[in-house]
Amino acid sequence: MQKEPAKNYSPKDFEDKLYKMWEENGYFSPSMDKSKPHFSVVIPPPNVTGQLHMGHALNNTLQDIIVRTKRMEGYNTLWVPGTDHAGIATQIKVEENLRKEKGLSRHDIGREEFLKLVWDWKNKYGDRIITQLKKMGTSCDWNREAFTMSESLSRAVKKVFVRLYDKGLIYRGFRITNWCTHCATALSDAEVEYKELEGGFWYVRYPVKGSENEFVTIATTRPETMLGDTAVAVNPDDERFRHLVGKTLILPLMGREIPVVADEYVEKDFGTGCVKITPCHDPNDFELGKRHDLPQIVVIDENGIINENGGKYQGLDRNEARKRIVEDLEAGGFLVKKEKLVHNVAHCYRCGSIIEPLASRQWFVKMKPLAEPAIAAVKDGRIRFIPDRFSKIYLNWMENIQDWCISRQLWWGHRIPAYYCDDCGQITVSENSVNVCPKCGGAHVRQEEDVLDTWFSSALWPFSTLGWPDSTEDMRTFYPTSALVTAYDIITFWVSKMIFMAIENTGDIPFPDVFIHGLVRDELGRKMSKSLGNGIDPLQVIDEYGTDALRYALATGNAPGNDMRFSQEKIESARNFINKIWNASRFVRMNLSIESASVPDSGALAVEDKWILSKLNRLTAEVRENIDKYELGVALQKLTDFVWDDFCDWYIELAKERLCNRDNPDNLIAQNVISYTLERTMRLLHPFLPFITEEIWQSIPHEGESVMIAPYPDFSEKLNFEDAEIKMSKVIALIRGIRARRTEMNVAPSRKTKVFIVCADGFIDGALSHFFTRLASASEVIFADAYDGQDAVQIVTDSATAYIPLADMIDTEKELLRLGKEKANLEGEIERIEKKLLNDGFVKKAPAQVVEGERVKLENYRASLDGVVAAINKLQK
């Protein structure tokens, strides 16, 4: 006999225990049965030193719903978990810890010792987020847990780097990069966020050499970069400045001579029509400088400090330098004016510092040859975004992509496998360590100091986690993966890179579906952040309400691509729904004597049995379709409506008479139907609410070890009872109408009334009268072709009209007494206000709005009195 559920829902009593049971029994691992279709996903790897936040909770809830469904549908299912080494984030965290504890920087202890500290940190805190993900109920195969810096994934990274280098798709060059002065590293374009800031437009006069009182005026948002100017450019078709092309200007404050060049890049109608060119501190200037073979002068160093090329401003922070330069320009008569300007300024996505465009020698991936097949994969439909609108973001990024800067000036990460010979200058790129120069045989060989962008290794995640470059069984079975579930904010960071890296290195797409979800915001629609203090810790929610309640709150109302609002009200609604399931299942269990359940022959089923079975059957088909379309919020809402409304509020009440009476000849039929319905409902709900469904499923008749590996319900033509659905829907609509009218008229539930029913379409007949007796407080149910009796209340639905004699609804004497008191009260109020309004002193001295308010009250009281008098007259008849 199955155990009976506890009286009260207490998730702490069973959630951890059930997860341990699933894990120990190996339910999270694929069966590797080649006869089954495969389904695989890879987790978007959280930072190894991170903590679970609401974004993780949403993402992994949605993934788990899909994965659990596919597992129950019979797929050979693999969900690969893992973590990302998160180069910048992890290094900064360890550096801060080193500074706090020992007052040292990484440079004080050296690279080798610092990396030991990072690995120690990873080993100490790296499992924290994994433990937290397990708390969410995620059914990942933890035996296959991956880490971007593991030996196998590092081998894949080296293999890809060398392959791309050998094909000429990776190169080392001197170019403008996005430089973060705080993190002290270059960043890719995808790692830059733009924010609106209030700044200025400074108009500065550059004297023309040899021409007294002739100047060229330029406008700049960054006066400090003028220290590195090497030209001023004009449009070749601009007649205003054509005579200056080829002449020389004197750079204010620096005294350096710089040429005027003609270039179509300059817009005649923008600014003054003259543009200062600083090749080492602006990406467009850099390209223009290459076209005109201009000198490249770096004036701001990696820490945002003016260097030795900045003359007397050397040693100043870039912001202080701006202030001093503007003062000196004004003092020297070079500053024409300053205009206020609001413009988009690049910031580091990690620390929020303003980005410094800086020319330096970095490693790059040549993107155009890689982008083209990745663009084609989306355009030809091999990869689809859900919703489709996000494909536009992807395509816009890929079609305008620049070469990807992949080198980072960090110590924690995949060290670039390039080796420099100090004897002959040879650069050797190799998967294996190089100690002797293959060109000259010299032993003075050193490895590149820089590491790879974190996203380089993350880009290989869908195939490196399956064992690539080896032809492993996992790679042969589960690649390409089946879907990617991720938020829209990392389409350019990560999704785009996985697609082009997979096509280039495996010859195939990494996944056919990209299911995009939104961000979790607070109840006011604001982004959750520390500064606003509006963050909600998912682990605290789990501790107070249980994992299922959190998952339900996150999945409810979720629509692909849309942000969701999380609130206390949502989590409490989730708790209420789960309590409803718990209490209903407990009631069912208390009334079961059967050990197994099956659906009796249709001929033995009551109409309410057919109705609930048919509703469940149709729900099953709809839920499966919604999940296949990634409409998880819609699927959950349909399940909620069925459980709360159809099953708990109606079917249990409809079947209670047969279910609770063991002497009833239909008792076993009711037991089988209600048990069958509850068991299949638990299976349908399991992907969404894994813990409570397992706990309930184990307490009722079932087949198998766990609901987690039980078959997901499917539609059955045998359980399609359309007539019963129509009939019961009409009965329920009429009962609802009767209940609503009784409530409206304050009729006590205990007061029984006759109910006359006129049904034009014949769906409601005498065989259903017992439902009205039990659920609509009917003392007697009379079916007729028409009603011609005494005064009655009418309840009209689309197929029937119910008439309830007014005398049955109301105790005439008591009602007359109540109405008499109400009449006297109203007459008293009317008399009081009439006297007040006849008082000239009140009318003249009181504010006009107060007087008007009293007149409105008088009219309302008179209208109410008319209604009460009419009711009294009607009753007295």
Side-chain angles (χ1 to χ4, degrees), residues 197-243:
L197 291 182
E198 190 174 298
F201 231 161
W202 286 269
Y203 289 79
V204 182
R205 300 195 301 178
Y206 285 29
V208 178
K209 183 184 177 185
S211 182
E212 194 174 349
N213 295 323
E214 186 176 9
F215 300 88
V216 167
T217 302
I218 61 93
T220 180
T221 59
R222 304 186 66 217
E224 67 277 11
T225 62
M226 66 177 288
L227 305 177
D229 285 0
T230 55
V232 166
V234 298
N235 189 290
D237 298 325
D238 196 332
E239 294 179 2
R240 294 173 297 170
F241 307 114
R242 189 174 290 167
H243 69 287

Side-chain angles (χ1 to χ4, degrees), residues 668-709:
L668 287 178
I669 292 173
Q671 282 196 53
N672 273 280
V673 172
I674 203 165
S675 180
Y676 175 90
T677 302
L678 181 58
E679 189 272 341
R680 287 180 82 86
T681 302
M682 290 305 99
R683 280 195 262 157
L684 285 171
L685 266 173
H686 175 73
F688 300 87
L689 309 175
F691 293 105
I692 189 174
T693 51
E694 181 74 88
E695 187 72 2
I696 291 172
W697 190 83
Q698 294 290 352
S699 74
I700 59 177
H702 63 266
E703 290 183 10
E705 299 173 3
S706 166
V707 68
M708 183 180 160
I709 55 172

Side-chain angles (χ1 to χ4, degrees), residues 747 751-754 779 790 804-811:
V747 180
R751 188 177 182 88
K752 302 291 184 181
T753 66
K754 287 182 181 178
S779 57
Q790 57 191 307
I804 303 176
L806 200 59
D808 283 11
M809 298 275 275
I810 298 169
D811 184 320

Side-chain angles (χ1 to χ4, degrees), residues 585-647:
S585 64
R586 188 168 178 273
F587 170 80
V588 170
R589 183 66 196 84
M590 287 166 60
N591 286 283
L592 292 182
S593 61
I594 57 176
E595 294 290 333
S596 60
S598 60
V599 178
D601 291 338
S602 60
L605 296 171
V607 65
E608 63 267 32
D609 297 333
K610 291 180 179 179
W611 167 75
I612 196 66
L613 291 170
S614 191
K615 290 277 282 188
L616 174 64
N617 195 37
R618 190 155 46 83
L619 172 74
T620 298
E622 291 178 6
V623 166
R624 290 183 76 118
E625 183 182 356
N626 291 138
I627 293 175
D628 284 344
K629 291 179 177 179
Y630 300 99
E631 297 167 347
L632 308 185
V634 174
L636 183 54
Q637 189 58 55
K638 288 179 179 178
L639 284 163
T640 300
D641 292 343
F642 174 81
V643 170
W644 194 293
D645 197 15
D646 298 331
F647 185 69

